[in-house]
Amino acid sequence: MGSRTRLDMGIILEKATELVDRNGLDQLSLNMLAQELNIKSPSLYNHFQGLEGLKQQLAIYGTEQLYAHLLPAAIGSKGDEAIHGLSRAYIDFARIHPGLYEATNRIPDHSDEKLQHVQEEVVKLVMQVLHSYHLEDEMAIHIVRGLRSILHGFASLIRTGGFQMPVDLDKSIPIVIDIFIEGIHSRVQQEEY
Amino acid sequence: MGSRTRLDMGIILEKATELVDRNGLDQLSLNMLAQELNIKSPSLYNHFQGLEGLKQQLAIYGTEQLYAHLLPAAIGSKGDEAIHGLSRAYIDFARIHPGLYEATNRIPDHSDEKLQHVQEEVVKLVMQVLHSYHLEDEMAIHIVRGLRSILHGFASLIRTGGFQMPVDLDKSIPIVIDIFIEGIHSRVQQEEY
DNA sequence: TTGCTTTAACTAATATAATTAGTTAAAATA
DNA sequence: TATTTTAACTAATTATATTAGTTAAAGCAA
């Protein structure tokens, strides 16, 4: 027999991503993952604390990936254009990685500071994109919540097959975002560029 | 010993709702459910096809409950007011029944016509609320998608603790909805009422 | 009522998954 | 080269889902 397989967290998370993207997060099991990696499932305990630990790591990894995917879209432009870019990138990511995206929506527990931190980074990125609108503090929070709701809701409903009507999905997001942007414009008197 | 417990689907789904609202959908198990009902887990197979069957039934039951909760809000008023009422009712439901709401977001499989049907009923209800805006057909679909995204996204983000900022959540939904409505108004030249 | 049918409980047994404990091979490093 | 650490391994336990076959009790018909 050849030498033992020797893995690191990166390889494990890549394979786990493959599995959840194919079968959904709730179908993820240590047995199947171990099989795919050509090791035995108890060996995985050297890398994380059981199935829950894996899901936690996957949530962090996925959120970092999401952040990296959003970043170029967020910094490359300003104002309305930046919101559209961010939105497209967000939905893109959720479509390319349905299972990994699902994993990012984990509820962090008290101990889980890393996950909380990376999730906050994503929120900050969305806030930055709205910065050029010069919104009053509290209103900025409400509007960020709205934008995040649209993006997350849209991504989730695509995944669960919630949008069945024979109307082009790719048109819907920019239109919905436009409506939201127009709402912002007509709500706040803004001095933009 | 007293006589055997004798259950029907209604009692089972009520107890299952209690459990998922308390512990989350992914913690639902036949063992725990059977224990709570004072029967043995194999007995549950007389009522549905295993754990997946239970989740399917729970999805249907939950969607029906959601529909019933939305209905009075949707029919009691018109236009902007109806959208606000529907939105409040939707978020309410997801807060009162976090686990049951989670269950309603099940992806229906081919065989699962009942679930598809009740899910469609909810979508139709949302469409009806937008009817008084006299939107052009395709635009109506885009806007329904937007409204559903906001509602589902908002409900999900509340559940996963996605909104951490110390700003009143109950204010956010009407503000976000107002922005969306204003966007609709400024986008489509409308002849209302 | 009496007896048949159906429902929904039961026990027993199996399979799969997660997990823990203790062990060992191999890589990294002093 | 010798030591330490990492990350694999096997063996065993526990929990859960599931299947098969059985039985008690409710509902209904003669």
Side-chain angles (χ1 to χ4, degrees):
Chain A
M1 279 277 260
S3 61
R4 290 184 174 181
T5 321
R6 204 166 175 95
L7 307 169
D8 62 12
M9 189 70 101
I11 294 175
I12 294 172
L13 291 176
E14 277 175 32
K15 182 59 78 177
T17 298
E18 222 179 287
L19 289 176
V20 295
D21 281 344
R22 186 158 54 238
N23 308 322
L25 185 64
D26 60 342
Q27 291 300 306
L28 180 64
S29 77
L30 295 184
N31 277 342
M32 189 184 304
L33 178 59
Q35 253 177 348
E36 289 277 323
L37 292 167
N38 300 308
I39 60 173
K40 301 300 161 68
S41 63
S43 305
L44 291 168
Y45 284 77
N46 290 309
H47 299 279
F48 41 72
Q49 277 309 318
L51 185 58
E52 276 310 299
L54 170 59
K55 288 182 180 173
Q56 189 182 79
Q57 293 302 314
L58 201 58
I60 295 167
Y61 172 75
T63 309
E64 286 168 347
Q65 298 284 112
L66 174 61
Y67 183 86
H69 191 87
L70 297 181
L71 192 58
I75 59 173
S77 49
K78 276 202 165 155
D80 298 357
E81 200 189 324
I83 296 186
H84 279 290
L86 180 80
S87 300
R88 186 169 38 249
Y90 192 100
I91 302 297
D92 264 6
F93 183 86
R95 282 172 128 166
I96 297 169
H97 289 299
L100 186 58
Y101 178 74
E102 208 182 339
T104 66
N105 296 117
R106 177 182 174 83
I107 305 175
D109 57 20
H110 356 287
S111 71
D112 201 352
E113 292 170 23
K114 183 79 182 292
L115 177 56
Q116 270 181 284
H117 178 259
V118 291
Q119 284 177 342
E120 275 164 28
E121 291 301 306
V122 171
V123 177
K124 279 187 200 165
L125 200 63
V126 178
M127 292 197 77
Q128 277 169 39
V129 165
L130 289 169
H131 195 253
S132 61
Y133 287 82
H134 306 295
L135 300 163
E136 177 261 317
D137 286 4
E138 197 167 307
M139 184 54 65
I141 305 289
H142 295 306
I143 288 176
V144 169
R145 286 176 177 173
L147 182 54
R148 290 178 60 211
S149 295
I150 292 173
L151 297 179
H152 173 58
F154 206 91
S156 296
L157 288 169
I158 289 177
R159 167 123 177 92
T160 59
F163 297 139
Q164 294 292 357
M165 305 298 282
V167 172
D168 191 355
L169 260 180
D170 293 314
K171 285 184 188 166
S172 291
I173 255 288
I175 291 175
V176 168
I177 293 295
D178 264 332
I179 288 172
F180 191 67
I181 289 172
E182 286 177 58
I184 297 173
H185 283 285
S186 71
R187 170 121 195 169
V188 295
Q189 62 290 31
Q190 61 179 81
E191 52 270 28
E192 202 180 323
Y193 307 93
Chain B
M1 278 269 262
S3 61
R4 291 184 175 183
T5 321
R6 205 167 175 93
L7 307 169
D8 62 12
M9 188 71 100
I11 296 173
I12 294 172
L13 291 176
E14 277 174 33
K15 182 60 79 179
T17 298
E18 222 180 286
L19 289 177
V20 295
D21 282 344
R22 185 158 56 239
N23 308 322
L25 185 63
D26 59 341
Q27 292 300 308
L28 180 63
S29 77
L30 295 184
N31 277 342
M32 190 186 302
L33 177 59
Q35 253 177 351
E36 289 278 322
L37 292 167
N38 300 309
I39 59 173
K40 301 299 161 69
S41 64
S43 306
L44 291 168
Y45 284 76
N46 290 309
H47 298 279
F48 41 73
Q49 276 310 317
L51 184 59
E52 276 310 299
L54 170 60
K55 288 182 181 173
Q56 188 182 78
Q57 294 301 315
L58 200 58
I60 294 167
Y61 172 75
T63 309
E64 286 168 346
Q65 298 284 113
L66 173 60
Y67 183 86
H69 191 86
L70 298 182
L71 193 58
I75 60 173
S77 47
K78 276 201 167 158
D80 298 356
E81 200 189 323
I83 296 186
H84 278 290
L86 180 81
S87 301
R88 184 169 38 251
Y90 192 101
I91 302 297
D92 265 5
F93 183 85
R95 282 173 128 165
I96 298 169
H97 290 299
L100 186 58
Y101 178 74
E102 208 182 341
T104 66
N105 295 118
R106 178 183 174 82
I107 305 175
D109 58 19
H110 359 286
S111 71
D112 202 352
E113 291 169 24
K114 181 79 182 292
L115 177 56
Q116 270 181 282
H117 178 258
V118 291
Q119 285 177 343
E120 276 164 27
E121 291 301 305
V122 172
V123 177
K124 280 186 199 165
L125 200 63
V126 179
M127 292 196 77
Q128 276 170 38
V129 166
L130 290 168
H131 195 254
S132 61
Y133 287 83
H134 306 296
L135 300 163
E136 178 261 318
D137 286 3
E138 198 168 307
M139 185 53 65
I141 304 289
H142 294 305
I143 288 176
V144 169
R145 285 176 177 171
L147 182 54
R148 290 178 59 211
S149 295
I150 292 173
L151 297 178
H152 173 58
F154 205 91
S156 296
L157 288 170
I158 289 177
R159 168 121 176 94
T160 59
F163 298 139
Q164 295 291 0
M165 306 297 284
V167 172
D168 190 355
L169 259 179
D170 293 314
K171 285 183 187 164
S172 290
I173 256 287
I175 291 174
V176 168
I177 293 295
D178 264 333
I179 289 172
F180 190 68
I181 289 172
E182 285 177 58
I184 297 172
H185 284 285
S186 70
R187 170 126 195 164
V188 295
Q189 62 289 32
Q190 60 176 85
E191 53 271 23
E192 207 177 319
Y193 306 100

